[in-house]
Amino acid sequence: TQESCYMANNNGDSDAQGNIPPDYVPPKQVVKMDVIFESLAHRRRRCVCCMLLKRQQWALDEMVATIAAWEAQSANMDEQSLHTRVHTALSHTHLPKLVEMGVIRFDDDTETITRGANARPVLSALQGIGVGVENAVLPRQGEVDTCGTAEVAK
């Protein structure tokens, strides 16, 4: 938590209860961790990042097709119906968020996705925990996919 990070770096500025002062600014390392956690917080963003571990550049349509195929396989759904959902979710939610955080760059003209300035710590975190594309993409058995796909068969 922010409080425990503060306590670990506290120079005696907190009160007796350990309350964080309103003007507290976390160290840069903590802020960078926020980018990592937010980037990897959603399964589809993890998937995008994992795909960028394999290759530095992806066409949007190729990325969408790959993710839709994986999700269709895990949820026993029609790949074409998932394609539209994945494209919409990536285009309107996940890619803009990753662009905003500097993890990826998106070229609107060519619709290509490449690594951004903040990609290295995010990709290093994935490598450090041994996450591969398959377990970053597919929901666990019985987990409901909040992106609108069906529950994974038990």
Side-chain angles (χ1 to χ4, degrees), residues 5-57:
C5 291
Y6 176 75
M7 297 305 287
N9 296 304
N10 186 2
N11 294 327
D13 295 334
S14 65
D15 62 18
Q17 287 79 34
N19 294 322
I20 301 169
D23 60 343
Y24 170 71
V25 177
K28 288 181 183 179
Q29 298 88 337
V30 172
V31 174
K32 278 195 175 222
M33 288 175 62
D34 287 345
V35 170
I36 294 169
F37 293 140
E38 185 64 25
S39 298
L40 303 176
H42 192 278
R43 182 177 40 79
R44 286 188 175 150
R45 287 196 299 272
R46 286 192 302 272
C47 179
V48 169
C49 293
C50 283
M51 292 175 77
L52 288 170
L53 279 171
K54 289 189 168 207
R55 284 199 339 234
Q56 291 188 24
Q57 180 173 318

Side-chain angles (χ1 to χ4, degrees), residues 42-117:
H42 192 278
R43 182 177 40 79
R44 286 188 175 150
R45 287 196 299 272
R46 286 192 302 272
C47 179
V48 169
C49 293
C50 283
M51 292 175 77
L52 288 170
L53 279 171
K54 289 189 168 207
R55 284 199 339 234
Q56 291 188 24
Q57 180 173 318
W58 288 82
L60 176 59
D61 284 339
E62 182 183 14
M63 184 174 276
V64 167
T66 303
I67 295 171
W70 286 326
E71 289 186 8
Q73 181 182 23
S74 73
N76 198 21
M77 292 183 67
D78 175 51
E79 190 175 322
Q80 189 55 43
S81 65
L82 275 173
H83 189 278
T84 302
R85 291 179 185 178
V86 171
H87 189 280
T88 301
L90 289 183
S91 297
H92 295 283
T93 303
H94 303 300
L95 296 181
K97 184 175 278 280
L98 291 169
V99 166
E100 179 184 323
M101 292 185 291
V103 176
I104 65 166
R105 288 188 298 264
F106 183 76
D107 186 313
D108 288 319
D109 296 330
T110 61
E111 291 195 326
T112 55
I113 298 143
T114 55
R115 295 176 185 178

